[in-house]
Amino acid sequence: MRKLRIGIIDLVSKGPTRALWAKVFNANLASIMPQVVGVWCQKAGHDVSLICYTGFEDLSEELPRDLDLMFIGAFTESALVAYAISSRLRAQGVVTVLGGPHARCYPEDAQKYFDYVLGFTDETVIQDVLKDCSQHVPLGVRLSAAKQPVELPGVRERWTFIESTLRKAPFIKLVPMLASTGCPYTCSFCIDSSVPYQLFNMEGMKEDLRFLLTKFKRPLVGWHDPNFGIRFDDLMGSIEEAVPANSIDFIAESSLSLLSEPHLQRLKRNGFGALLPGIESWFDLGEKSRTGLAQGEAKMQRIAEHVNMVLRYIPYVQTNFVMGLDVDAGSEPFELTKRFIDLAPGAFPGYSLLTAFGEAAPINFQYQSEGRVIGFPFHFLNNNGAMNLRPKHYAWPVFYKHVIDLTRYSFSPRAIARRIGGTSAFVPKWLNVVRAISSEGFGRLRYYTQVHQQLLSNRQFRDYFEQETDVLPAFFQNRIREDLGPMWKSLPQGAMYHDPYAYLKSQQEYSRLAAAGGTAG
Ligand code: B12
Ligand code: SF4
């Protein structure tokens, strides 16, 4: 095989930015897989340049000339940026490949703009792309491994890519690691609800942790595991064998069901400084919070106590909630969250608007069958830019009124002050303040208020939400144009629109072919 010149872009920003928080933090959002793909391509003998796009780079300057092949890793919120880059490169004869959450959730749409669209990706899938490496028009080729890979190149092998990315992070330098894929829980909205849990080989992980101690005085590791700590004793035992206690700072997403007091003591001993448990709902998903059948007020009380216990051991805690779930009705879910904020003031509340990401979760098939999914442009699908699903029990203005009310309560001067008081360590205290007064707290409040006003005053805007028109309101179009900046002119025609029912249609086609005795390919 000839030696290829390969570019890889890890998109962690959905367009150019000058925001201070983005400058400080974006490089810490880098993904593991673009670095892994880089290692596999180098191993196959090719030249590789990887750029983590944080919103500050000029890609036309930074990308090497005469590329043969470009891999892009993208979340759905940065899909339009990915499409714009791909369109410009394909016009120059470069072959383009899309991987990451967007490719997994919206493969049919991505096929229109890329030569290859990858689902689960292992070394064999990458080798197949490298061997074929040709343009596929009008529709790109979809490739996927049968399951998640059982191991991935570790930190040592990815180091040159990690190092060049972290050079862009001035203060906090987070090294991304992964010890497992999938999850044994089955939260209906989650991309991993049907992906079996598997733990990676612990020897590689131990070697990576020892390696990191040769690179930093006190490394900071962000675990990208969907649910860290499922095989708790194996994981903690390996960390304890590999490195001295409390020599590395760790951050992880984990379920409350895994955070018993003995587990918290062990996590603290080993340097876990931040945990992000998902609570999601006061009326559902009791299993992952170990609250069983308790609901409403009873569940909230138990979780508030549990979170306060977590805060006694772990300095930084973010509790995640989903707003707009089908089990929610009336003001009660929002009022309970406010009470929770009062009872567990040290936890930072992370809110997501329920989003049906294409074919991510099996429940999306049901949502599409019910005709409730709205084709908001991908640019807004990041759990807060838009809720692309008509709520089951709320009229839109009422829903947004609740969202605004809760956001205002969560980031009021009183709540911010109580959060400072409820957090023990210096950095977490001030990180919470910055998050509250920046785009996440005040910024979202401003944005939701604009959406609410438009819902009340602009008929065409409201009609779009009510699925009475497909014509995108100017409010959203203008935002895309502003956010994309110079990339706007490379955005392929029609890319702002997608078929929100593509998953349903592909499943129906599959069933039709299966019934006729064929296969859907
Ligand atoms: C860890 C994680 C994070 C971390 C790390 C993010 C990162 N850059 O990787 C943090 C906390 C920073 C984060 C932030 C966000 N996240 Co997040 N996150 C996850 C989580 C829990 C695990 C993802 C993971 O790494 N899995 C392990 C890897 C190995 O598996 P995988 O992702 O399935 O990847 C496979 C393939 O897709 C492919 N692949 C992946 N990337 C690439 C890249 C290339 C080039 C190629 C070829 C292949 C490839 O190979 C892998 C192996 O098969 C998932 C939820 C979940 N349960 O999976 C959500 C998830 C990915 N996040 C999600 C969202 C919405 C966000 C945010 C937008 C939230 C927000 N509002 O801020 C931000 C976006 C950050 C950004 N732009 O970089 C959504 C994405 C949906 C979508 N279609 O976009 C998910 C699915 C959660 C959900 N709501 O269902 N997230
Ligand atoms: S516990 Fe977390 S990772 Fe597991 S299925 Fe639920 S939301 Fe997904």
Side-chain angles (χ1 to χ4, degrees):
M1 199 195 309
R2 78 189 162 96
K3 190 174 185 133
L4 300 171
R5 287 168 68 91
I6 297 176
I8 302 177
I9 303 179
D10 178 7
L11 287 177
V12 301
S13 177
K14 57 189 219 167
T17 175
R18 288 283 157 261
L20 185 62
W21 176 247
K23 184 90 196 157
V24 173
F25 205 73
N26 271 3
N28 291 300
L29 300 176
S31 303
I32 291 177
M33 280 308 290
Q35 302 171 356
V36 163
V37 171
V39 172
W40 286 335
C41 291
Q42 282 176 334
K43 202 172 132 197
H46 305 291
D47 277 340
V48 175
S49 313
L50 183 146
I51 299 177
C52 173
Y53 176 72
T54 61
F56 292 88
E57 301 76 2
D58 179 350
L59 289 174
S60 53
E61 284 298 310
E62 291 200 18
L63 283 174
R65 313 270 157 221
D66 308 325
L67 283 175
D68 298 299
L69 182 64
M70 171 62 87
F71 287 93
I72 300 181
F75 281 64
T76 293
E77 65 167 351
S78 47
L80 298 190
V81 173
Y83 289 1
I85 299 172
S86 176
S87 154
R88 196 156 53 81
L89 291 174
R90 286 174 103 191
Q92 297 162 12
V94 181
V95 174
T96 63
V97 190
L98 182 74
H102 185 65
R104 265 185 72 187
C105 296
Y106 294 97
E108 281 96 354
D109 196 75
Q111 272 178 294
K112 293 191 263 172
Y113 307 105
F114 281 82
D115 297 305
Y116 301 88
V117 176
L118 309 189
F120 289 147
T121 305
D122 59 15
E123 196 170 359
T124 310
V125 168
I126 296 299
Q127 280 166 354
D128 289 345
V129 172
L130 297 176
K131 270 184 224 139
D132 186 54
C133 190
S134 46
Q135 289 204 329
H136 293 273
V137 183
L139 282 187
V141 175
R142 277 172 66 176
L143 296 173
S144 182
K147 59 186 195 66
Q148 288 283 32
V150 285
E151 60 179 335
L152 294 172
V155 173
R156 188 191 284 274
E157 289 162 283
R158 294 187 277 120
W159 182 247
T160 47
F161 301 130
I162 295 175
E163 200 177 27
S164 62
T165 301
L166 289 186
R167 241 179 261 132
K168 300 181 183 182
F171 310 115
I172 307 168
K173 291 181 186 287
L174 193 63
V175 177
M177 283 185 67
L178 194 65
S180 65
T181 52
C183 180
Y185 294 103
T186 53
C187 310
S188 60
F189 55 84
C190 175
I191 196 168
D192 268 332
S193 57
S194 52
V195 180
Y197 176 78
Q198 56 177 13
L199 186 64
F200 287 174
N201 178 334
M202 289 292 95
E203 290 312 309
M205 187 260 257
K206 288 194 234 170
E207 205 203 303
D208 281 346
L209 295 180
R210 289 188 203 111
F211 172 77
L212 279 177
L213 280 179
T214 68
K215 295 290 175 189
F216 298 93
K217 226 161 109 195
R218 189 175 171 91
L220 173 62
V221 168
W223 292 106
H224 281 195
D225 301 47
N227 195 350
F228 184 87
I230 299 286
R231 297 251 307 262
F232 190 82
D233 289 332
D234 292 331
L235 273 164
M236 298 313 287
S238 301
I239 293 176
E240 285 156 2
E241 264 175 50
V243 290
N246 202 10
S247 56
I248 298 181
D249 286 315
F250 293 111
I251 300 178
E253 294 193 36
S254 192
S255 330
L256 279 179
S257 59
L258 302 168
L259 302 177
S260 62
E261 192 150 16
H263 281 190
L264 287 165
Q265 287 162 347
R266 202 162 167 195
L267 287 165
K268 180 184 162 102
R269 257 200 322 275
N270 285 300
F272 278 74
L275 290 176
L276 293 79
I279 294 170
E280 329 298 4
S281 160
W282 302 120
F283 295 95
D284 200 1
L285 306 168
E287 185 202 4
K288 65 183 282 201
S289 308
R290 217 194 254 155
T291 44
L293 295 176
Q295 282 196 359
E297 174 78 24
K299 178 172 177 183
M300 189 276 295
Q301 292 277 357
R302 279 169 64 176
I303 288 192
E305 272 171 37
H306 193 159
V307 168
N308 283 332
M309 194 236 309
V310 177
L311 277 160
R312 286 201 288 278
Y313 294 95
I314 307 291
Y316 194 88
V317 178
Q318 174 180 318
T319 44
N320 293 330
F321 300 92
V322 181
M323 298 191 283
L325 287 163
D326 281 1
V327 286
D328 290 348
S331 58
E332 197 182 357
F334 298 93
E335 293 303 321
L336 284 170
T337 310
K338 288 190 198 168
R339 289 259 297 132
F340 171 79
I341 286 168
D342 290 344
L343 293 177
F348 187 93
Y351 298 120
S352 292
L353 300 180
L354 178 64
T355 308
F357 283 108
E359 55 188 69
I363 188 120
N364 296 357
F365 180 74
Q366 182 196 317
Y367 293 143
Q368 295 188 11
S369 309
E370 292 167 358
R372 292 166 58 196
V373 185
I374 305 168
F376 278 101
F378 295 135
H379 191 71
F380 302 99
L381 301 189
N382 60 2
N383 291 337
N384 57 74
M387 169 159 160
N388 69 345
L389 196 63
R390 233 182 36 238
K392 193 157 187 177
H393 300 298
Y394 298 92
W396 279 114
V398 176
F399 178 71
Y400 268 92
K401 199 159 170 288
H402 285 306
V403 170
I404 290 167
D405 181 46
L406 177 59
T407 312
R408 187 172 290 130
Y409 193 89
S410 310
F411 305 113
S412 63
R414 176 178 174 270
I416 294 175
R418 294 194 76 226
R419 209 165 286 133
I420 296 177
T423 320
S424 53
F426 180 79
V427 175
K429 273 184 203 291
W430 296 108
L431 192 60
N432 278 338
V433 175
V434 174
R435 287 181 72 183
I437 63 174
S438 66
S439 55
E440 195 167 350
F442 290 6
R444 280 189 203 169
L445 187 58
R446 260 193 312 275
Y447 176 73
Y448 293 147
T449 306
Q450 284 172 4
V451 172
H452 185 238
Q453 277 164 357
Q454 291 283 324
L455 281 169
L456 294 178
S457 63
N458 181 338
R459 188 67 241 175
Q460 197 255 332
F461 190 93
R462 177 75 183 269
D463 283 350
Y464 185 76
F465 279 67
E466 300 296 350
Q467 299 176 290
E468 279 163 24
T469 174
D470 289 335
V471 180
L472 186 67
F475 176 90
F476 292 111
Q477 270 194 47
N478 295 341
R479 270 191 173 249
I480 298 177
R481 190 176 304 125
E482 264 169 45
D483 289 354
L484 258 56
M487 294 193 210
W488 167 259
K489 60 178 189 306
S490 306
L491 192 67
Q493 196 150 28
M496 276 199 296
Y497 290 86
H498 69 274
D499 180 356
Y501 294 90
Y503 178 36
L504 177 67
K505 289 177 192 161
S506 72
Q507 292 298 301
Q508 285 169 341
E509 177 66 3
Y510 189 86
S511 309
R512 195 184 61 76
L513 285 171
T519 67

